[in-house]
Amino acid sequence: MHNNMHNMDDEDMALPAHVALGNGVYQYVRRVPEDLVHAFAGPRIQRSLKTRIHQ
């Protein structure tokens, strides 16, 4: 069976929940609950997934 996944454009594929594309690099992003924002640097947690490849 031939795999056609290599023919699909990254732009056509839906991103998983809590994953965003920023500056060409995929990021994991979550909102911090209001009652815990004081314990974090801001209202969001954002970490680079260190990849430009959507798999």
Side-chain angles (χ1 to χ4, degrees):
M1 184 171 173
H2 184 69
N3 184 353
N4 288 325
M5 288 296 290
H6 68 277
N7 290 332
M8 297 178 76
D9 291 333
D10 288 345
E11 296 170 5
D12 294 338
M13 297 180 73
L15 292 176
H18 311 296
V19 175
L21 185 60
N23 295 326
V25 177
Y26 289 92
Q27 309 276 328
Y28 176 76
V29 182
R30 293 297 302 256
R31 183 186 62 82
V32 175
E34 274 188 41
D35 58 337
L36 297 176
V37 170
H38 68 276
F40 291 86
R44 293 185 345 157
I45 296 171
Q46 184 169 343
R47 297 289 182 263
S48 174
L49 297 176
K50 299 180 181 175
T51 186
R52 295 177 184 275
I53 301 169
H54 181 91
Q55 293 183 350

